[in-house]
């Protein structure tokens, strides 16, 4: 459905803000993007980003505005996990069938390119202009040098808050009565580190793998960049025996890396330097509702639903918000009140679902990777899925290599979990895990479960 | 333990703020209370308060600073519920054994008296002075006419945020990383209404009862005032078939009151007038953590743990915060960092417990009062408690007529609930509810439960 052109402000020039700008401009609207930060095309990156893993939902949203190929130029497909387990030779786990892959992209490189695309399409960017206040019913913005100084007023028809987990736009909505809100931090922080390229520009570890060093309470990961380097992230508790707090000297850092990450021994000087140079960041799950105000204001991406990064879906979920919003616009045309109402009703349960799945992945990685019963369960599931690929699609695949709703993936996952709970209670499961009885029990379980597991 | 006198600011002159001021002044500190509102002793009340029910925890906190008797002068003991059930004659339910009672107090009358007591003891009050900002590590305050205007700076040793569910002090803490926070509104609102006294100053309904008109989705309550009037509260969904939104004319309001509250038919003109004069207010459960910042700032009362009012414990929980804080001060003397650390660790689980119990009471009242299975369960519990009063103390009594931790009441309640879940599954429970078998089953259940149910 065509739309009357509106004057639209987008707060935040990050990934979600710039993609939404591209979508809205393509629909013929006048689009201005505000960002309190300088133009990322002219600055260094911050050293506090986890590399991105673009998966099916993200690509689908890019495809819709015909920039998928453009972005694939700066992405590296990863078709497997490379598992660096202590006292075990390096081994690989393929992600899915038929070469299914997630794609490693540097946040900074991607963001620069998307702003470039948006600007070329006619989007107007206002960098280093901080929005201090929003008049929600009027869709007016107030920007200025300082909170207490002179402000400039802007009037728009519609404002989108794409200003991330600590959104100023949401902050304004939050002061209204009957606005539900929660922010929950986990006790684990993260720090960006890096592994440089070989002198000839090649990668020091397998390029097409997502590298993981799981260590129970903490974890190290590495994702490749185009220039041969890897962007790595160390996830570790803030406090405790092995924690960011407990490592205070270069010698302690070196001992830590040598002890727990022997496969990157040669990089230790680099990693140690980064360890003290880069900040330690916190991770939060943020939920809120409503996401919109009349036909005037809407939150998109992290500002509406920030999640912990352990499913690699933060950006994908934000891009899917935009894809779904665009579909709803197709249905309702100029009726923005309906558009916003349906948008939040459709997306909220899915945002809650991916938040839950991401948080569970965090719990799983911190507490269960060394649990033998958990590993046995995963082995049984894997065997069954290989034999009945149409009947048992793992939740990871449903989230990563599908565009079915996140809420469905969560529900199916719960149903699978219930079947496995019963299977794992079998007294002889340790020895009988690959028996026909277990297989039958799982097939029966699938028949009983009311959730649609197609 | 004695303390070095400190310069203490308390933000908020409500019930918790004024009681804390009395406690701190008694310890020899210099106490200044800030409130953005005018002195409540010089203004009309707002018409948006649910009358208070002081119970054991509240009295205990007042007794500690020797103002229990003073406050009892303005309180009316309620030793029973008066149940106004449709098509059923009015009946009464006693609260406990030995005349146990909750005490009805007007919020405004109580607040005026407590400010009076605090001021006479030497506490300094600054009314109509709004705190816009707090420097947490320095314990500095900034007040002024407007957010963007000139501010006055005050320096203190310690700041207490007693500024309620929408606390400005907490708001400042919330912007720090790793601060957990949630606000969850329920879909039911409330409105204050009143029933005036008889011409001779007597009460129109039984004076020593908490009057309840339970109607499933909505509910009307009335609590006596000293002047013969009743302060009433109508709890009702904001939206829906029978809701604040659906009643828009005086005729509709009259029909509503006549249909559902026949026992207050004579008051309908009054109630109808109040209905359109008084605002509809929202109810929120607010949780956060931490509650303190170093040895500088602490949240007390609703600012740390706002709860829905369905257990009548909001004020009691806030007063208990103060009582417990005071005990901890006795232990640690001048070590305010330890005091604040222990205070939040001890109180947080109890605040979460009373929040949960209050929310469950809301769910119970909205969905279960008409459920025959629920009523049968309550009948069985009541019979058992009467026969074994030492073995089965109802959760309501544990919360209201005890000073044992809220968290313990919640745990015992869950254990009782688990026993009853099994009892209610008996196929013949409808006819066998008063059989020796059921009694034995409950006794066995109590023996099995690991939670201490003394």
């Amino acid at each position: 459905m065509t739309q009357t052109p509106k004057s639209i402000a987008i707060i935040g020039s990050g990934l979600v803000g710039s993609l939404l700008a591209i979508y809205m401009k393509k629909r013929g609207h006048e689009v201005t993007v505000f960002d309190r930060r300088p133009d990322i095309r002219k600055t260094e990156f911050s050293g506090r980003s986890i590399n991105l893993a673009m998966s099916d939902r993200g690509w689908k949203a890019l495809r819709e505005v015909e920039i998928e190929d453009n972005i694939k130029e700066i992405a590296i497909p990863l078709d497997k996990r490379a598992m660096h387990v202590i006292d075990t030779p390096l081994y690989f786990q393929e992600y899915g069938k038929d070469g299914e892959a997630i794609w490693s992209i540097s946040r900074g490189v991607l963001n620069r390119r998307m702003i470039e695309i948006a600007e070329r399409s006619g989007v107007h960017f206002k960098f280093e202009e901080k929005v201090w206040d929003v008049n929600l019913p009027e869709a007016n913005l107030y920007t200025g040098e300082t909170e207490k100084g002179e402000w400039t007023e802007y009037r728009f028809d519609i404002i989108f808050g794409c200003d991330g987990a600590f959104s100023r736009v949401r902050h304004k909505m939050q002061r209204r009565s009957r606005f539900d809100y929660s922010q929950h931090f986990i006790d684990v922080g993260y720090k960006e580190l890096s592994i440089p390229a070989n002198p000839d520009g090649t990668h020091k570890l397998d390029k097409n793998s997502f590298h993981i060093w799981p260590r129970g309470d903490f974890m190290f990961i590495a994702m490749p960049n185009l220039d041969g380097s890897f962007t790595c992230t160390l996830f570790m508790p803030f406090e405790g025996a092995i924690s960011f707090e407990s490592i205070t000297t270069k010698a302690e850092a070196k001992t830590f890396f040598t002890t727990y990450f022997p496969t990157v021994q040669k990089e230790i000087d680099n990693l140690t330097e980064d360890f003290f140079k880069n900040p330690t960041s916190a991770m939060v799950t943020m939920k809120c509702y409503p996401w919109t105000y009349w036909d005037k204001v809407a939150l998109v991406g992290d500002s509406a639903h920030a999640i912990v990064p352990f499913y690699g879906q933060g950006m994908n979920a934000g891009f899917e918000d935009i894809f779904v919003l665009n579909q709803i616009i197709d249905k309702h045309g100029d009726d923005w009140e309906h558009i916003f109402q349906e948008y939040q009703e459709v997306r909220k349960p899915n945002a809650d679902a991916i938040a839950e799945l991401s948080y569970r992945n965090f719990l799983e990685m911190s507490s269960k990777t060394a649990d033998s019963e958990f590993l046995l369960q995963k082995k049984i599931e894997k065997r069954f899925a290989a034999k009945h690929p149409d009947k048992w699609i793992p939740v990871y695949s449903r989230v990563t290599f599908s565009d079915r709703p996140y809420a469905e993936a969560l529900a199916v996952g719960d149903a699978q979990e219930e079947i496995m709970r019963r299977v794992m209670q079998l007294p002889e499961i340790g020895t009988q895990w690959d028996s026909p009885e277990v297989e039958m029990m799982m097939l029966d379980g699938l028949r009983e479960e009311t959730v649609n597991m197609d």
Side-chain angles (χ1 to χ4, degrees), chain A residues 12-13 21 32 53 78 104 112 148 179 187 202 210 219-220 227 284 337 353 390 405 409 423 426 443:
Chain A
S13 71
T32 309
L78 315 180
S104 174
R112 286 174 176 181
K148 295 199 72 172
F179 184 82
D187 290 332
T202 56
F210 180 70
M219 174 172 72
F220 188 66
D227 65 3
V284 68
E337 197 165 339
D390 52 323
V423 167
L426 292 175
L443 286 167

Side-chain angles (χ1 to χ4, degrees), chain A residues 5 74 77 173 180 202 233 250 254 266 428 437 449:
Chain A
I74 52 169
M173 292 165 75
D180 285 347
T202 56
T233 313
K250 288 211 168 180
K254 282 187 184 180
K266 288 179 195 154
E428 302 288 290
E437 287 70 29
E449 286 298 337

Side-chain angles (χ1 to χ4, degrees), chain A residues 47-50 190-194 231-234 274 278-279:
Chain A
R48 53 192 303 164
S49 115
I50 299 163
Y190 73 90
K191 194 184 277 285
E192 182 179 317
L193 307 167
S194 69
T231 297
C232 313
T233 313
L234 175 63
D274 284 353
N278 290 340

Side-chain angles (χ1 to χ4, degrees), chain A residues 399-418:
Chain A
V399 167
T400 311
F401 305 121
S402 146
D403 63 357
R404 300 286 305 161
Y406 287 127
E408 182 183 289
L410 177 62
V412 171
D414 283 345
Q416 290 177 344
E417 212 35 61
E418 174 56 24

Side-chain angles (χ1 to χ4, degrees), chain A residues 104-116:
Chain A
S104 174
I105 309 188
S106 150
R107 178 183 294 270
V109 171
L110 175 61
N111 205 160
R112 286 174 176 181
R113 187 167 286 214
M114 288 185 54
I115 289 174
E116 198 59 45

Side-chain angles (χ1 to χ4, degrees), chain A residues 367-380 424:
Chain A
S367 63
K368 292 194 183 161
T369 46
D371 176 38
S372 61
E373 188 165 357
F374 175 75
L375 295 174
L376 174 61
Q377 177 180 330
K378 289 293 144 193
K379 194 162 75 171
I380 297 170
M424 297 303 290

Side-chain angles (χ1 to χ4, degrees), chain A residues 166-433:
Chain A
F166 302 97
S167 168
R168 193 85 191 179
V169 179
R170 187 193 65 233
H171 187 259
K172 185 74 187 186
M173 292 165 75
Q174 193 182 325
R175 290 165 83 160
R176 299 168 53 222
S177 190
R178 301 185 69 196
F179 184 82
D180 285 347
Y181 176 78
S182 70
Q183 60 186 45
H184 173 72
F185 286 85
I186 57 176
D187 290 332
V188 166
Y190 73 90
K191 194 184 277 285
E192 182 179 317
L193 307 167
S194 69
I195 295 175
N198 286 317
D200 66 354
T202 56
H203 291 81
K204 284 187 176 149
L205 302 165
D206 181 77
K207 176 184 170 182
N208 294 110
S209 294
F210 180 70
H211 293 267
I212 310 185
W213 291 255
R215 296 293 180 268
D217 283 349
F218 56 99
M219 174 172 72
F220 188 66
I221 64 171
M223 297 179 76
N225 296 311
L226 288 175
D227 65 3
S229 67
F230 280 86
T231 297
C232 313
T233 313
L234 175 63
F235 295 97
M236 189 159 66
F238 283 105
E239 293 95 13
I242 300 178
S243 67
F244 284 113
E245 197 188 57
S246 74
I247 299 172
T248 57
T249 66
K250 288 211 168 180
E252 284 168 352
K254 282 187 184 180
T255 305
F256 170 70
F257 286 117
T258 314
T259 310
Y260 293 107
F261 310 113
T263 53
V264 287
Q265 288 222 41
K266 288 179 195 154
E267 312 308 323
I268 281 176
D269 285 340
N270 234 328
L271 295 171
T272 300
E273 192 181 314
D274 284 353
F275 187 91
F276 291 103
K277 194 180 70 191
N278 290 340
T280 306
S281 302
M283 287 170 281
V284 68
T285 300
M286 194 287 304
K287 298 179 180 180
C288 68
Y289 203 77
W291 291 1
T292 64
Y293 188 93
W294 293 351
D295 56 351
K296 295 296 186 188
V297 181
L299 305 174
V300 183
D302 280 4
S303 62
H305 51 78
I307 60 180
V308 293
F310 301 96
Y311 229 115
Q313 286 293 310
M315 170 189 61
N316 290 289
F319 282 10
E320 194 175 60
D321 285 349
I322 299 171
F323 183 89
V324 170
L325 174 66
N326 193 53
Q327 283 185 315
I328 295 168
I329 291 174
D330 279 340
K331 264 166 60 184
H332 297 301
D334 279 333
D335 186 351
W336 283 93
E337 197 165 339
H338 252 91
I339 290 167
F340 282 177
Q341 193 57 38
E342 187 169 329
Y343 159 68
Q344 68 181 2
E345 284 170 10
V346 168
R347 287 306 286 167
K348 172 65 173 166
N350 291 309
D352 286 347
I354 191 61
E356 175 67 19
L357 286 164
S358 302
Y359 185 71
R360 287 189 194 176
N361 250 20
F362 159 63
L363 295 179
E364 205 170 289
M365 285 195 277
S366 5
S367 63
K368 292 194 183 161
T369 46
D371 176 38
S372 61
E373 188 165 357
F374 175 75
L375 295 174
L376 174 61
Q377 177 180 330
K378 289 293 144 193
K379 194 162 75 171
I380 297 170
E381 289 178 35
K382 198 173 171 187
R383 180 173 181 275
F384 187 84
K387 223 166 158 182
H388 305 282
D390 52 323
K391 289 198 167 67
W392 194 279
I393 302 169
V395 179
Y396 184 84
S397 297
R398 293 176 181 272
V399 167
T400 311
F401 305 121
S402 146
D403 63 357
R404 300 286 305 161
Y406 287 127
E408 182 183 289
L410 177 62
V412 171
D414 283 345
Q416 290 177 344
E417 212 35 61
E418 174 56 24
I419 292 170
M420 293 312 295
R421 195 185 60 76
R422 296 193 302 249
V423 167
M424 297 303 290
Q425 280 173 353
L426 292 175
E428 302 288 290
I429 190 66
T431 51
Q432 300 297 307
W433 69 276

